[in-house]
Amino acid sequence: MRVDRFPRMRRVNAIVWEVLAAEVHGLSDPRLSGVTITGVETSPDLRRAVVYFSAADMTRLEETGEGLTSAAGRLQALLASQVRLKYTPRLEFRPDQGVIAGMKIESLLRGAPAPGPGGEE
């Protein structure tokens, strides 16, 4: 489903993202240090939301995902208390593949030889 065709879903996703991005930093779980919520995709029936995240230490993505999953109930309750929706979506957390790909490209570029004069090698 293309969310950009439905302005209401785009607004719901933005509101859910805003609340979760703010609230995740208030949690005391050490696995969540350096976590960033990068996006949210809510299902049209509002029963599920996929929450995309990245971590300052990309080697700890799995650990960060486990921390978010264990905090899902608390984050859902905070979301329900701040946003009025017909249903409070069940949260599912996934690493943001765009950020991961960007980090891989950056790593490759850092290892590439510097171009010579005139932009040639």
Side-chain angles (χ1 to χ4, degrees):
M1 177 188 86
R2 289 186 42 139
V3 175
D4 54 321
R5 297 167 92 192
F6 303 100
R8 180 176 182 270
M9 289 308 302
R10 193 171 39 245
R11 287 192 311 270
V12 168
N13 289 341
I15 290 168
V16 171
W17 169 80
E18 186 177 323
V19 169
L20 294 178
E23 295 296 339
V24 75
H25 296 291
L27 300 174
S28 61
D29 190 333
R31 296 175 292 183
L32 301 179
S33 65
V35 68
T36 301
I37 303 299
T38 59
V40 174
E41 288 182 8
T42 308
S43 66
D45 64 0
L46 302 176
R47 295 195 187 258
R48 291 182 301 105
V50 176
V51 180
Y52 296 96
F53 69 92
S54 68
D57 182 358
M58 295 299 280
T59 62
R60 295 181 45 216
L61 273 180
E62 188 174 328
E63 184 180 333
T64 302
E66 290 168 359
L68 286 167
T69 299
S70 71
R74 174 85 175 124
L75 289 169
Q76 242 176 281
L78 290 166
L79 182 63
S81 70
Q82 295 182 40
V83 180
R84 185 175 168 165
L85 294 170
K86 185 173 183 175
Y87 302 104
T88 302
R90 185 179 56 84
L91 304 176
E92 177 184 330
F93 297 94
R94 294 186 191 159
D96 189 326
Q97 294 300 317
V99 173
I100 293 170
M103 296 293 283
K104 287 179 183 176
I105 291 170
E106 182 181 355
S107 173
L108 290 171
L109 290 174
R110 287 178 190 240
E120 298 177 10
E121 288 189 41

